[in-house]
Amino acid sequence: MEQRILGRTGIEVGVVGFGAWQIGSAWGEVSEADAEAALEAAHRSGVTFYDTADVYGDGRSERFVGAFRARHPEVFVATKMGRRVEQLPEHYSAANFQAWNDDSRANLDVPALDLVQLHCPPPAVYADDAVFDALDAMVAEGRLRSYGVSVETCEEALAAIARPNVATVQIILNPFRQKPLEAVLPAAEKAGVGIIARVPLASGLLSGRYTADTKFGEDDHRNFNRRGEAFDVGETFAGVDFETGLAAVERLRPLVPEGATMAQFALRWILDQPAVSVVIPGARNAEQAEANAAAADLAPLGEDVHAEVARVYDELIRPQVHDRW
């Protein structure tokens, strides 16, 4: 698999990673056996970057990833912290950071974390020097090797990139969320900050498998967060109205290369952006993990294809999402 440098960490990672939200919570039931099989299949397919968070299943995802890493210590694991408390800037404190760090290190069973990301913090956090001083101190103490920020908006991404020791920015990027192409990716590339592309399949919309009749379980955020009831609505279907997303998928379907899936096409579109370090699709089972990794084998998409993806975005998606995030 193609390798790229993960921003200021200086570490090379495979361009397709593994997003471990699905094996933690909020995507319907995923058994322990399926979670382990998905992680192992990703590893066999050349995936070296695994992204999790302390709140995914209240540590369930971290524990799965930790057991997996014990078998494969060479992999790179990123986690997140900050969503265990009410989202007030004052809760992003050195004392809370240390407590959350202790929990994550225990769940992952490591003395130091490879990468810790603030988990979509309140906007005021980006301007607080004390927050980043506390993170620098944790690096100096050996609690973590590097840190980054997972963001909701492009404005937040640019604020994080401006911080001298932020190694990575994680942001929603896919054919339905193209705004980061305008300023965020160029700024990250110039600063040497890694870009971790999340929600790459728009919560499955870009898999091409859904129809107007598709139903999601009550414990699936694609059911309970359609209007942002539980967290930012941009995390569900990338903030796109479900019916509009289905219509856009049908416009994109003829662009999919022969022998590839719609999901692989969407992942390849992201990988065609050179400022992206790694894309992190989720997987519920081994088959999905293997198919995601195979997207790295596709040839880059042609300029005409990229132009048509931009046209579909401008005509159907842009009015709903572009100015919101």
Side-chain angles (χ1 to χ4, degrees), residues 110-280:
V110 292
L113 301 173
D114 293 335
L115 174 68
V116 174
Q117 303 153 94
L118 299 183
H119 200 167
C120 300
V125 167
Y126 296 87
D128 189 345
D129 292 343
V131 166
F132 296 92
D133 289 345
L135 292 168
D136 287 335
M138 291 172 71
V139 172
E141 292 168 20
R143 287 174 165 269
L144 51 97
R145 297 185 179 91
S146 55
Y147 64 83
V149 185
S150 184
V151 306
E152 295 290 3
T153 71
C154 289
E155 183 179 2
E156 292 167 352
L158 293 170
I161 289 167
R163 288 284 174 176
N165 295 325
V166 165
T168 61
V169 165
Q170 184 175 141
I171 192 167
I172 297 175
L173 177 67
N174 63 54
F176 291 171
R177 287 285 288 271
Q178 297 190 28
K179 188 176 180 178
L181 303 183
E182 295 178 353
V184 173
L185 267 60
E189 194 165 29
K190 182 177 180 180
V193 171
I195 291 290
I196 302 167
R198 78 169 187 278
V199 195
L201 302 181
S203 307
L205 262 177
L206 284 163
S207 72
R209 297 184 293 108
Y210 300 157
T211 72
D213 296 324
T214 300
K215 304 296 182 185
F216 301 96
E218 292 197 2
D219 58 348
D220 191 316
H221 74 98
R222 293 169 293 184
N223 178 24
F224 67 74
N225 196 57
R226 287 277 183 108
R227 290 171 293 279
E229 296 93 329
F231 41 80
D232 192 278
V233 70
E235 304 289 344
T236 301
F237 301 131
V240 177
D241 171 77
F242 187 65
E243 288 71 25
T244 302
L246 293 177
V249 164
E250 294 311 309
R251 289 272 303 272
L252 295 175
R253 201 181 295 277
L255 305 177
V256 177
E258 185 177 355
T261 66
M262 173 69 77
Q264 290 166 339
F265 163 78
L267 295 173
R268 183 65 250 182
W269 180 91
I270 296 168
L271 295 178
D272 283 353
Q273 318 305 326
V276 170
S277 302
V278 59
V279 59
I280 51 170

